[in-house]
């Protein structure tokens, strides 16, 4: 686990794929426990699914944690961008995906629900994406910005349009991969105490073929 930035108020880390964000029934070593061993007291602000790696932030004081938790609810103040690999190139170089999602907690699976459906418990899901690069095999790297934070949102919204993320067998991908092709690339927000603007970036591991087939020059803005 890499420490990307830390001070007396908060800490940004890069989570490895396959490691839980918080304690869960699997009993695996989790990020929150590991951080508590190093910093004594840390407070969870948000989470990443176990198969997803990349940037996360934790509070180190109750005041900073409370401010960050409030900030996370405002997707203009707390901006999260992800990298994902699709099996083919979408029709448009950039776009917006809007759906209503239902999360089946028992199956831990999300579904796109028809807007005309009266099903209870559905929530709006919205994201924007832009294509960054295309590999020789047609697989396409996209940058995704979340405007809502729903369970498995990126995975299910692309899968519902016949673009399941590489390695995502749960949502229909037939392409096997050592890891899910989803990475939390950056978090941009205001420091909750100093109000300094923060833009914390963690590129995915270039040692993995899943990512190194693409040119990172497309991300030069970071």
């Amino acid at each position: 686990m890499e420490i990307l930035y830390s001070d007396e108020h908060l800490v940004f880390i890069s989570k490895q794929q396959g490691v839980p964000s918080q304690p869960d029934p699997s009993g695996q070593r989790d990020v929150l426990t590991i951080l508590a061993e190093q910093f004594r007291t840390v407070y969870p602000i948000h989470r990443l699914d176990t198969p997803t790696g990349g940037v996360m932030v934790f509070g180190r004081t109750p005041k900073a944690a409370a401010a960050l938790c409030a900030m996370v609810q405002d997707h203009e103040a707390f901006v999260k961008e992800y990298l994902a690999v699709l099996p083919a190139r979408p029709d448009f170089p950039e776009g917006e995906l809007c759906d209503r999602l239902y999360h089946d907690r028992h199956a831990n699976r999300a579904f796109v629900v028809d807007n005309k459906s009266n099903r209870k418990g559905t929530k709006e899901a919205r994201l924007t994406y832009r294509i960054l690069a295309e590999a020789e095999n047609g697989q396409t790297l996209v940058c995704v910005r979340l405007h809502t934070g729903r369970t498995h949102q990126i995975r299910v919204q692309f899968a519902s349009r016949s673009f399941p993320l590489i390695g995502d067998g749960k949502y229909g991908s037939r392409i096997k991969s050592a890891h899910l092709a989803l990475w939390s690339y950056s978090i941009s927000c205001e420091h909750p105490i100093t109000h300094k603007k923060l833009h914390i970036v963690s590129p995915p591991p270039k040692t993995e073929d899943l990512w190194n087939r693409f040119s990172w020059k497309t991300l030069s803005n970071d």
Side-chain angles (χ1 to χ4, degrees):
M1 186 177 63
E2 181 184 1
I3 304 296
L4 302 173
Y5 173 90
S6 68
D7 60 26
E8 60 188 304
H9 307 289
L10 50 77
V11 55
F12 285 86
I13 62 98
S14 181
K15 183 180 91 68
Q16 293 182 351
Q17 291 181 288
V19 179
S21 298
Q22 301 176 34
D24 68 11
S26 73
Q28 288 179 265
R29 291 265 292 170
D30 63 278
V31 173
L32 185 62
T33 300
I34 295 169
L35 280 177
E37 291 172 355
Q38 182 170 349
F39 294 102
R40 293 189 179 181
T41 305
V42 287
Y43 301 87
I45 306 302
H46 62 122
R47 64 183 296 275
L48 288 178
D49 292 334
T50 298
T52 307
V55 183
M56 294 185 70
V57 62
F58 292 79
R60 294 188 60 190
T61 66
K63 182 178 180 180
L68 284 167
C69 285
M71 205 180 298
V72 167
Q73 304 306 312
D74 182 346
H75 293 272
E76 300 303 317
F78 191 90
V79 177
K80 293 190 288 184
E81 289 192 323
Y82 290 75
L83 295 177
V85 182
L86 310 181
R89 184 183 179 91
D91 292 335
F92 302 101
E94 57 183 42
E96 180 179 73
L97 307 185
C98 297
D99 297 292
R100 294 203 67 80
L101 300 186
Y102 173 78
H103 180 225
D104 183 335
R105 294 182 182 275
H106 179 72
N108 191 28
R109 184 182 174 94
F111 301 88
V112 171
V113 177
D114 189 302
N115 286 330
K116 297 179 181 179
S117 171
N118 294 321
R119 187 167 193 169
K120 295 182 179 179
T122 65
K123 295 182 179 181
E124 179 190 19
R126 185 166 68 92
L127 63 78
T128 52
Y129 75 89
R130 58 189 172 96
I131 293 175
L132 297 176
E134 187 175 352
E136 292 182 1
N137 62 4
Q139 294 179 8
T140 303
L141 178 69
V142 295
C143 179
V144 180
R145 176 177 172 181
L146 289 180
H147 298 275
T148 55
R150 309 303 179 205
T151 301
H152 299 174
Q153 179 178 337
I154 296 173
R155 299 165 66 182
V156 69
Q157 285 197 273
F158 278 106
S160 72
R161 291 162 173 83
S162 300
F163 292 103
L165 274 57
I166 299 301
D168 195 3
K170 189 180 188 79
Y171 288 100
S173 175
R174 297 182 179 180
I175 303 175
K176 293 184 178 181
S177 173
H179 293 108
L180 173 68
L182 183 61
W183 188 267
S184 174
Y185 178 71
S186 72
I187 291 177
S188 300
C189 65
E190 185 179 90
H191 193 290
I193 305 301
T194 68
H195 305 296
K196 173 185 175 182
K197 290 184 178 180
L198 300 172
H199 179 61
I200 309 300
V201 171
S202 175
K206 292 186 179 181
T207 54
E208 293 190 16
D209 183 60
L210 176 65
W211 304 106
N212 66 20
R213 68 190 62 172
F214 300 104
S215 171
W216 296 118
K217 293 180 180 178
T218 53
L219 300 177
S220 58
N221 290 340
D222 293 316

